[in-house]
Structure formats: C-alpha cells, structure tokens
Amino acid sequence: MSFGGNVSEIQFATPQTVKEAVKCLAGAKGRAKVLAGGTDLLVQLRAGMVRPALIVDIKHIPELSAVKREDGGFRVGAAVSGAELGANKAFRKAWPGVLEGLELIGSTQIQGRASLGGNLCNGSPAADSVPGLIAAGATCKIAGPKGTREAKVEDVVAGPGKTTLKPGEFVVSFFLPKRPKHAGDAYLRMIPRTEMDIAVVGAAVSLEFDAKGVCTDARVSLGAVAPKALLVKAAGKALVGSKLDDDALEAMAAACRAACNPIDDKRGTIEYRTKVAGVLAKRAARIALERAQA
Amino acid sequence: MAKHHVSTTINGDPAEFLCDTQQTLLDCLRDELQMTGSKEGCASGDCGACSVMLNGRLVCACLVLGVEADGATIDTIEGVAQGDELHPLQKHFLDEAALQCGVCTPGFIVAAKALLEENPDPTETEVRYWLAGNLCRCTGYDKIIRAVMNAAAEMRGA
Ligand SMILES: Cc1cc2nc3c(=O)[nH]c(=O)nc-3n(C[C@H](O)[C@H](O)[C@H](O)COP(=O)(O)OP(=O)(O)OC[C@H]3O[C@@H](n4cnc5c(N)ncnc54)[C@H](O)[C@@H]3O)c2cc1C
Ligand code: FES
Ligand code: FES
C-alpha cells in the first residue's frame, strides 16, 4: 500500500550538511518538501494534500539535531524531537513554558518525532509550540541559496499553511536568549478534551522582573485566535512596571481580547475564543510569575 | 526512479528491503518484510496500533517513511517475546484479559515496554498519560492499565 492512487515517483534525499540541503531544495525539479519528524507531512501526503517531487530529510544534518548553549542561551536544532528536548534539564529549567507547548503536541509516539521547526513551518494557527517561542523572543536561523539569515519566530508564518520562507530556504535552528535571574514563562491551551486535541485558544507569557519584583519585560503571544500566532505587544506593555496586580492583569487580558480575530466553528465561537484568550493569558501570567519567584 | 534499497536492523538482526519513497515504515514492515505484528488502525498517527521503536524512541510506524529506516535500528512487537518465553507484559495482558479483538495489543505492548524501560515504577496516571496515544475500541482500558501495572511490579521483583 502507498499514498493515494497513481502518485508519480517521489525522489528522496538525505543531505549531510546545510549547504547540501540548500542545494537539494533549490535545485529540485518541481516541489520540494522538507521532512523533519513527518508527523504533519506524512498525514498530508497520505491525504493527497501535498504532492512533492522531492522529499529532503534534514535529520542527518548535525546542526538540525543538536541542542547547544550559545551566549548564555540555547541554540536548538529545528528537527530536535519533543522527547529529546524534554530530556534536556537545563533547557527545562530556563524555558519551561516553551517545553509546555512542545510537549502538548500529540502522544508519546508523536513526541518521538515532532519538532519545533515542523510545528512552525506547517503553519497551523493552532500550533502549540509557536506562542511559547514567540513569547520567549526566540529567533530562527534560516538557510537558503543566498546564505543564512536570522528571523523572529513571529515573522516566519504568513497565514494558515503558509510561511515567509523563500524557495530553497529552510529553518536550521532556533535561538532562545539568556534568562535573567528573575524570569519565567508558561503556556496554556484550551481544548475540549484532556489529551490529543487541537487548541481552541493557546496563550504563552514570558516575564522578567527586577529584584523588587517589578516586571521589567513581558511578552504575550496567542495561538488559534487569528490566521497565525500573534505577538500582542499591548498585552506585554500592560504588565511592565507592575507587580502583576489584578488591574495590570485585567488590562493585559483586555489587550488580548482586543487582538483576537478568530474563526467561528463548532469547536469555539468567536465570542468564546475571545473571552478564553483573556482568561488563559491571565492564568499563564500567574504561572510565569510563580516560576520567576521560584 | 529505481526503488530505494534499505539496509536496517530489526529486533537485533540485519534486514533489507526495497521500497518507494512514499511507502511508510509500517507498509514496509507488513508488505515487504511480512512482519504483520504491527497493525494499521488509522494510518494518521492517532491510534498507536503501529507503535515501534526507531533508534530507541517510541514512534508511529505509519508516520515514518520506509527509507528513513536505512541505517537505523528498529524494534517491533515480533522482538518482544524471547522465543517461546513471553514478556511479562504479554503474560499479564493474557492474565488480565486485556485484549479482545487484539488489533491494538501489539502497539500497547511496545509502548508500555518503552515506558517501563524508562520508568520501572510508574503511577497509574503516568501509565494512562504515556499510553494516551494508544486507542482501544474493545476493552475500556482498565484491564490494559492493570496488566501494565502488574507487569511493572513483576519486573521490579515486587
Ligand atoms: C496524532 C497527532 C496529534 C497531533 N497533535 C498536535 C497538537 O496537539 N498540537 C500541535 O500543534 N500539533 C499537533 N500535531 C501536528 C504535528 O505533530 C506538529 O505540528 C509537529 O510539531 C510537526 O513537526 P514534524 O517535525 O513532525 O514536522 P514535519 O511533518 O516533518 O513537517 C511539517 C511541515 O513543515 C515543513 N518543515 C519541517 N521542518 C522544517 C524546517 N526545518 N524548515 C522548513 N520547513 C520545515 C515540512 O516540509 C512540512 O510542510 C499532531 C499530529 C498528529 C499526527
Ligand atoms: S496506524 Fe499508526 S497511529 Fe494508527
Ligand atoms: S482489543 Fe480490540 S481494539 Fe483493543
């Protein structure tokens, strides 16, 4: 058995370096698709949603599968699986909220393969690891025919299923900056079930405080309430200068609600998604605060 | 394009097969190697009936390409029993009657074995979360969870 009916033959490449991968992708005759964990790509192939001429497995490139310290922060390969990053204790300590998002993806089996790069580049508005990365202020290294460039995570997705990557480009790694002493992050999602479901709303908050407990930096990101994950700058601003009192949290929630532009479907109406976005952001902010104090 | 020639290690033994790019590892195990222990329930990563170990990690074989097995190490349900000697998980599944139609069983055993290798003394909650990606339409799960807990206890020597 194979995917669909008479699919024309698909070529397969396993480049060993970033350079080779760019060459494969840029030189492909027809559509080329990057393969990381395959947990989106294989489902889409089977459903006939994508018909690539070439599949490029990026997992043999050392940079894509490595987690390293860099400038006091972390450099995480775009193809590192959830199971692998979850086993990194230093990463868990620095960025528990980013991991929360990644680890919510699917089951144990899916975690064995699912990657941050795949979750981002698949372009789902509900992708669970993306708000956490955006709140973290993460950037990604993108390689392409013109060399490499850095981009903010919030600038990679263009809309549902679409990225801003140019032909021949792919995401090599993510950079998460060094954490100051008093900092914390958190991600929460709302789903109708307790496991294995798609977010109706996702909210990530990353906070930094000074020694007196005053918030010095705050980034709030929402998933599933717009065509792509949002960085809600006004929500972060509402928290800076405060100690996260109720008024500041309510101002942040109001900014979240104002930023929502969700779809209306059987899993959540516009009104419901908008209201829940504010509630979840408040809860995530409280968890991030607790983590910053710990 | 010619078919891919894949050289891999399955349950400790070298194995080879030919496949097209779009064939999944599950297709290759079942159709090319006649290893039909791993089951296809959904082919979309939702049911876990196709669970195998790929380079020591639990994955859905329906979401892995057969060509990805080249140079890799794969462990399947066929390698769980040692000859005629059943694995404690298999014994306890029988003792607890933790299967009816049995389509989900290979996936549950492979997944549970992976859990017990990582965590020999899991709580019931940990077992239920670990196995959340394995679906069973027959048993109602309680017997499966009990079988895993009992096997874990036996393997710890408790
Ligand atoms: C049963 C099941 C449950 C799931 N549950 C969730 C969930 O709860 N939350 C959630 O967010 N997602 C969920 N998913 C979707 C999926 O698992 C995630 O999106 C996952 O992170 C994808 O990563 P991957 O490495 O498997 O990507 P792949 O399938 O390998 O790739 C996904 C897409 O991104 C492209 N791509 C991959 N890596 C790169 C790169 N480095 N550069 C450029 N393009 C790239 C691919 O070409 C493809 O188009 C689920 C999937 C399944 C099957
Ligand atoms: S057949 Fe692979 S998860 Fe269902
Ligand atoms: S025994 Fe039939 S699906 Fe589990």
Side-chain angles (χ1 to χ4, degrees), chain A residues 100-114:
Chain A
E100 248 158 13
L102 178 61
E103 291 186 330
L104 275 171
I105 297 174
S107 57
T108 319
Q109 287 86 337
I110 301 298
Q111 283 292 308
R113 301 262 291 171

Side-chain angles (χ1 to χ4, degrees), chain A residues 111-127:
Chain A
Q111 283 292 308
R113 301 262 291 171
S115 67
L116 289 173
N119 198 221
L120 178 67
C121 296
N122 187 55
S124 163

Side-chain angles (χ1 to χ4, degrees), chain B residues 64-127:
Chain B
V64 177
L65 292 175
V67 272
E68 289 185 75
D70 197 40
T73 306
I74 291 155
D75 295 285
T76 70
I77 185 67
E78 283 88 350
V80 172
Q82 298 300 315
D84 288 341
E85 181 66 21
L86 293 182
H87 187 277
L89 277 162
Q90 293 172 310
K91 275 187 261 174
H92 286 282
F93 265 66
L94 290 172
D95 289 349
E96 289 295 329
L99 60 149
Q100 289 177 32
C101 79
V103 168
C104 69
T105 314
F108 268 105
I109 302 243
V110 169
K113 184 166 176 274
L115 168 64
L116 299 187
E117 273 157 18
E118 199 167 288
N119 178 2
D121 193 8
T123 63
E124 181 177 325
T125 304
E126 284 170 336
V127 174

Side-chain angles (χ1 to χ4, degrees), chain A residues 33-34 36-41 106 115 118-119 121 127-128 171 189 197, chain B residues 45:
Chain A
K33 272 303 221 180
V34 168
T39 60
D40 280 313
L41 186 62
S115 67
N119 198 221
C121 296
D128 277 307
V171 177
R189 75 172 179 186
D197 205 348

Side-chain angles (χ1 to χ4, degrees), chain A residues 60, chain B residues 6-9 55 67-73:
Chain A
H60 294 266
Chain B
V6 176
S7 301
T8 182
T9 304
N55 295 328
V67 272
E68 289 185 75
D70 197 40
T73 306

Side-chain angles (χ1 to χ4, degrees), chain A residues 17 82 91 118 134 152 177 186 197 224 235 259 261 271:
Chain A
T17 64
F91 188 87
I134 292 177
K152 292 178 184 157
D197 205 348
N261 175 23
E271 201 188 349

Side-chain angles (χ1 to χ4, degrees), chain A residues 1 13 23 34 52 63 70 76 90 122 128 133 175 202 211 224 256:
Chain A
M1 190 190 287
K23 223 169 145 189
V34 168
E63 261 186 277
E70 183 178 310
V76 181
N122 187 55
D128 277 307
L133 287 171
F175 177 70
C256 286

